[in-house]
Amino acid sequence: MSVWNKQRREEEPSGPFSANSLRPAPPALPVETKKEATTLSSISSMPVGRTEQDTSRGGAATIGKAVKIVGQIFSREDLFVDGDVEGTVELMEHKLTIGPNGNIHAGIKAREVVALGAIQGNVEASDRIEIRKDAKLVGDIKTARIVIEDGAYFKGSIDIVKTEPRVAPAPLRHQAAAATPIAAPVPAQASAAEAKR
Amino acid sequence: MLLSDRLKSILRGPVPLSAASPAVTDMGRPRIAAGSGKNEILRTRASRGLEQFVGSLRELSGLAILDLGGANQENVNFITSLGHKFYSEDFLRIFQEIFAGDRADQSNPSRIEYFLGQVLDYPDEQFDGVMAWDLLEYMEPALLSAAIDRLARILKPKGYLLAFFHSDDHMDTVPCYSFRIEDPRNLQVCEYGNRAPSQLFNNRRLEKLFQKFESVKFFLTRECLREVIVRK
């Protein structure tokens, strides 16, 4: 391996979640590329793997099909469950997807629930629930909207809870717009970055 | 031609999930359901039984309604839009799982109790209405009698039961149906294959079957179905 390569590796931070670990490897000789992949696999494989999964699951955290969890799950991000869960699952502001191999024996509270696997327990979905065609749900549902595909098995009750319409964001924008002239002028680039955020 | 179809679909926008279920056809004109894989024939027909049943629910809200035909989007939407709580049991699926075509087993008291424990395990007087569709016709006399007793128990006084029976008592086979509520007067009827009837009923036999109930009303349809509204 060349000296140049050694120096480069020393500069790289070793943390698994560093931005550099996700960066594609620089073009190099085939032999060197192979070596690097072997050496760094223990560090970088996890973030790279996560990135691929995140893309396919829409950025959700994942419980794989070989995983069993007994207890309480609280999540502040979307969650994809393809394994077994027993206990309670709460994602108050987020979406829970139960994959085709997922088997949940728990009470569920989430903003949105999409079932492709099996659920046994009561479900509260403040926004909506979808029960896909091969899903099986035994329990009582409380939700604002429901979609049941033909072929889904459902045993239980459905209580449609009318949610109060959310406060329209438009007036807030007006307020923000009204507030802008009072505030100090912001450079064009900075305001564009803020808008992106 | 292909291009114009594609253009049409783009202009139409994404298809909602509910549209994935078989769509309604013109009145009384059957068609093969697309994509179901079961050669289902769909048609819409008027239902006096449904009209009466819905009429009994309309004046009140917050009622408990049990659908024994398994949950489908149309029935859930209809019942919940009236402000009622929808309960679902996939009666036929459990029936087939437990008895698997064994008619003799339907006379076995412990098997009957087990079956009723699976599909009708509710407190007494829980429901204001039960939609049994044509499912009671699948059962042998001993099981049917026990199921009717259980239904009478879980219905509230003045509650209604909607059930369908084939009216021609010389039929060797009868069609299998699933029913979806289109509006208070019309049902989407989905027909998929045939089955041998366990029992066929004339008016007198139906009156005897529902003798524990306060009143029984019949409506005969063009498809040789007797729609029955029973009041507890």
Side-chain angles (χ1 to χ4, degrees), chain B residues 13-41:
Chain B
V15 182
L17 258 175
S18 56
S21 59
V24 192
T25 58
D26 298 341
M27 284 284 282
R29 196 185 302 162
R31 72 158 197 206
I32 304 294
S36 64
K38 282 197 283 183
N39 284 343
E40 292 171 349
I41 299 171

Side-chain angles (χ1 to χ4, degrees), chain B residues 120-175:
Chain B
L120 294 174
D121 187 21
Y122 292 97
D124 291 359
E125 302 183 0
Q126 161 112 8
F127 296 108
D128 299 277
V130 175
M131 298 182 288
W133 309 115
D134 64 343
L135 298 166
L136 302 179
E137 221 185 40
Y138 281 72
M139 293 183 276
E140 294 293 318
L143 179 59
L144 178 61
S145 171
I148 297 287
D149 285 350
R150 184 64 67 91
L151 285 168
R153 262 176 47 192
I154 64 175
L155 258 179
K156 283 182 187 168
K158 314 292 179 199
Y160 285 88
L161 170 78
L162 174 67
F164 298 163
F165 296 87
H166 283 88
S167 57
D168 184 348
D169 49 8
H170 298 293
M171 292 169 105
D172 294 328
T173 60
V174 293

Side-chain angles (χ1 to χ4, degrees), chain A residues 133-149:
Chain A
K133 68 172 179 169
D134 292 320
K136 188 176 175 185
L137 199 160
V138 178
D140 298 334
I141 297 173
K142 210 179 252 189
T143 187
R145 290 177 295 161
I146 183 163
V147 174
I148 300 181
E149 284 187 9

Side-chain angles (χ1 to χ4, degrees), chain A residues 150-166:
Chain A
D150 287 356
Y153 176 83
F154 170 62
K155 176 189 169 78
S157 68
I158 299 169
D159 210 352
I160 299 294
V161 182
K162 300 254 164 70
T163 47
E164 286 175 20
R166 286 179 187 172

